[in-house]
Amino acid sequence: MPNNQKITALYCRLSHEDMLQGESNSITNQKDILTKFAVEHGFLNHQFYIDDGYTGSDFNRPAFKRMLEDVEDDKVSTIIVKDLSRFGRNHLHVGLYTEEYFPQRGVRFIAINDMVDSAEGENEIAPFKNIMNEMYARDISKKVRSDCRIRGNCGEPLA
């Protein structure tokens, strides 16, 4: 498929834990940011892939898998995310996709807020951000489990 006919994949993700962080990480906000960036930078043939309520530490997400199928079918030229944490919170998998898989398939990867753009070469800070994103996911998971345990021990309903 010619590059000018390929899709610009706009990927959004929000986990249940991220919902606690408020509006700044909402799917609606991500879509607005991604649309504005895509239009301003000439990425007009864009399509959303949205995983709402899925953790970033696991890449077994329906929209993510559909996006990868489109990459495999040579339908995607560029993937744009709000930031690296929206793409994923497992530093090894994020690095595998952004540093190996996408470049091998000629797919440009952009993380807007982290100023990552594979067309500009390697970003030396991205691996450190990925590690911090993974550590955040582990920390919030521990806090949620601890809160549930405390509430359960106090006899409060957990649903």
Side-chain angles (χ1 to χ4, degrees):
M1 178 180 289
N3 249 5
N4 63 352
Q5 294 177 356
K6 289 186 179 183
I7 297 167
T8 295
L10 305 180
Y11 182 73
C12 304
R13 183 193 61 78
L14 184 70
S15 71
H16 294 292
E17 288 84 5
D18 290 329
M19 290 178 188
L20 303 174
Q21 300 302 310
E23 179 64 24
S24 66
N25 284 330
S26 74
I27 293 295
T28 302
N29 188 48
Q30 288 180 57
K31 287 174 71 175
D32 290 345
I33 290 168
L34 295 174
T35 300
K36 183 175 188 266
F37 182 90
V39 170
E40 286 177 358
H41 291 86
F43 299 103
L44 301 179
N45 188 21
H46 57 267
Q47 179 176 324
F48 283 101
Y49 298 82
I50 300 170
D51 283 317
D52 195 357
Y54 289 87
T55 180
S57 58
D58 180 0
F59 283 83
N60 188 20
R61 304 176 228 141
F64 184 82
K65 289 175 17 178
R66 191 168 33 87
M67 182 176 68
L68 288 184
E69 288 172 9
D70 287 345
V71 168
E72 285 292 324
D73 292 340
D74 199 31
K75 294 179 182 177
V76 176
S77 63
T78 305
I79 295 172
I80 305 175
V81 296
K82 176 185 169 197
D83 58 49
L84 291 166
S85 72
R86 297 302 94 208
F87 184 71
R89 290 190 183 271
N90 177 312
H91 79 281
L92 292 175
H93 285 112
V94 171
L96 177 68
Y97 284 114
T98 60
E99 296 176 28
E100 297 289 329
Y101 182 79
F102 295 146
Q104 289 172 354
R105 283 156 183 78
V107 175
R108 182 177 177 183
F109 180 81
I110 300 171
I112 299 168
N113 289 349
D114 290 325
M115 294 180 285
V116 171
D117 185 345
S118 62
E120 296 176 3
E122 195 173 315
N123 184 308
E124 293 82 15
I125 300 300
F128 297 104
K129 288 184 179 189
N130 289 330
I131 289 170
M132 295 304 294
N133 289 333
E134 182 175 332
M135 290 174 68
Y136 172 82
R138 290 181 184 182
D139 183 54
I140 197 74
S141 178
K142 287 178 189 176
K143 288 176 181 176
V144 168
R145 283 194 308 270
S146 174
D147 183 56
C148 287
R149 188 173 41 256
I150 290 168
R151 287 180 27 224
N153 289 340
C154 291
E156 292 181 34
L158 299 178

